[in-house]
Amino acid sequence: MRIVFMGTPEFAVPCLSALIEKHDVLAVFTQPDKPKGRKQILTPPPVKEEALKHNIPVYQPKTLKDGEAFKLLSEIKPDVIIVVAYGKILPKEILELPRYGCINVHASLLPKYRGAAPIQWSIIDGEKETGVTAMQMDIGLDTGDMIKSASLTIGENETADELHDRLSALGAKLIIETLESVEDGTATLTKQDDSLSNYASMLSKDISPIDFTQSAQAVHNKIRGLNSWPSATAIMDGKRIKIHKTKLADACGQAGEIVSLEPFIVACGSGAIEILELQPEGKKKMNVADFLRGHKIELHSFLK
């Protein structure tokens, strides 16, 4: 099939790579390069880097609403537009342009977790299962008819970063299977039940602070879900730390109390967590053993 691919972050790269192997990817649309790091070096999106490796033309319009993108796509004449974490809303005229319309790969089992951060919120909310869904796009936000989905089990200690990589690979497999069914006419469309939807809002640092009065499971889920950005945070000995990895522990105490140093266990509203990896402010992430060698922490002191 003649394909135009629209995507931006690392999550979208496996889908693009799989499509390049199986189909004729005519062009890639992605977000403009952005400054990154302390030196604010202008950096291309991962999808752009992958496209250029295969000498595929790359377009980075600031908007799709001025008619220029529609004109260009009309000249390219794709059979289908595949959209994976592009970050822009497609106008109705573009949605209706290709023969097979526009197909989106979304990182949840729709209609659950529509929106910007489905991977993270599925972990924060304590879901045991998630997946990817290929849907026929419409003018709504992740509301189009579902074509095909694939699921997986979320590990009890799995972080958002780890789940991201597994779902990304699953999405690449799914889009190839989806296009096969679309091309041979066996694809079936299923409408989403809006009553079952919940919105996975964009993450921000405002939700980083940990509430240790919550259950150990809720605290553990939040730490996993916010790994590696924006990261869950706490105050230890008057200084902010990021907590990256934990597991549930069999201990009790007051909420936030450090009840053991080896292993490093903190009590919650009910139950406790063992901290495995953390990051002092202004320093690199490290395992707890390395942290304790350089910091004197009092037993029965509190994280806040």
Side-chain angles (χ1 to χ4, degrees):
M1 295 179 75
R2 293 168 52 85
I3 292 171
V4 166
F5 185 85
M6 295 184 175
T8 300
E10 191 64 41
F11 182 84
V13 171
C15 283
L16 174 57
S17 300
L19 291 169
I20 290 170
E21 284 187 20
K22 296 284 187 178
H23 296 276
D24 185 11
V25 179
L26 306 171
V28 163
F29 281 62
T30 190
Q31 295 271 23
D33 297 1
K34 292 183 178 179
K36 283 191 176 182
R38 291 182 179 178
K39 296 184 178 180
Q40 293 291 282
I41 297 171
L42 201 61
T43 305
V47 161
K48 177 181 179 178
E49 293 180 327
E50 181 67 13
L52 293 178
K53 287 179 187 176
H54 299 274
N55 298 313
I56 297 171
V58 175
Y59 302 94
Q60 297 174 275
K62 291 183 178 179
T63 180
L64 300 179
K65 298 177 181 179
D66 60 4
E68 291 301 312
F70 176 77
K71 180 180 178 182
L72 177 58
L73 289 164
S74 299
E75 294 170 355
I76 296 173
K77 295 184 175 65
D79 294 320
V80 66
I81 295 174
I82 303 299
V83 182
V84 185
Y86 179 32
K88 288 186 182 295
I89 301 296
L90 273 60
K92 189 171 184 287
E93 61 181 358
I94 291 179
L95 291 173
E96 296 175 347
L97 176 63
R99 176 184 175 189
Y100 295 112
C102 299
I103 296 174
N104 173 245
V105 175
H106 184 71
S108 80
L109 295 174
L110 291 170
K112 273 192 168 186
Y113 298 102
R114 296 171 177 170
I119 298 173
Q120 293 88 344
W121 282 109
S122 67
I123 293 179
I124 294 169
D125 288 348
E127 298 286 353
K128 304 298 184 186
E129 182 184 56
T130 187
V132 285
T133 304
M135 67 174 171
Q136 193 80 51
M137 295 178 69
D138 61 16
I139 59 173
L141 179 63
D142 303 327
T143 57
D145 292 348
M146 300 177 292
I147 306 171
K148 204 174 186 69
S149 64
S151 64
L152 52 73
T153 300
I154 301 174
E156 64 179 347
N157 295 317
E158 189 167 20
T159 66
D161 273 9
E162 292 164 346
L163 183 58
H164 166 284
D165 292 348
R166 291 208 294 144
L167 288 174
S168 180
L170 190 63
K173 184 173 181 289
L174 180 73
I175 192 58
I176 297 302
E177 294 174 354
T178 299
L179 287 181
E180 288 174 357
S181 67
V182 167
E183 198 167 18
D184 64 23
T186 61
T188 57
L189 300 181
T190 303
K191 288 192 177 298
Q192 295 188 43
D193 184 346
D194 291 341
S195 68
L196 299 177
S197 71
N198 56 333
Y199 183 65
S201 59
M202 189 175 296
L203 300 177
S204 75
K205 292 182 179 181
D206 292 341
I207 66 171
S208 291
I210 297 168
D211 179 3
F212 286 100
T213 66
Q214 292 186 315
S215 69
Q217 186 67 67
V219 171
H220 179 54
N221 291 345
K222 181 171 186 173
I223 291 166
R224 295 189 298 131
L226 299 185
N227 179 324
S228 60
W229 195 91
S231 300
T233 62
I235 303 298
M236 178 189 292
D237 197 22
K239 296 181 180 179
R240 189 173 70 98
I241 60 167
K242 294 179 180 179
I243 301 177
H244 293 293
K245 287 189 178 181
T246 55
K247 66 179 181 180
L248 296 177
D250 185 14
C252 60
Q254 298 181 59
E257 181 184 2
I258 300 171
V259 296
S260 171
L261 291 175
E262 294 183 25
F264 194 72
I265 296 176
V266 180
C268 300
S270 60
I273 57 166
E274 179 183 345
I275 299 177
L276 305 173
E277 185 177 88
L278 50 72
Q279 183 175 2
E281 196 164 14
K283 296 185 178 181
K284 295 181 178 180
K285 66 176 64 173
M286 62 184 70
N287 62 47
V288 164
D290 290 339
F291 172 78
L292 291 175
R293 275 194 287 270
H295 297 79
K296 183 175 176 58
I297 303 299
E298 295 292 335
L299 187 64
H300 302 302
S301 60
F302 285 80
L303 296 189
K304 300 178 181 179

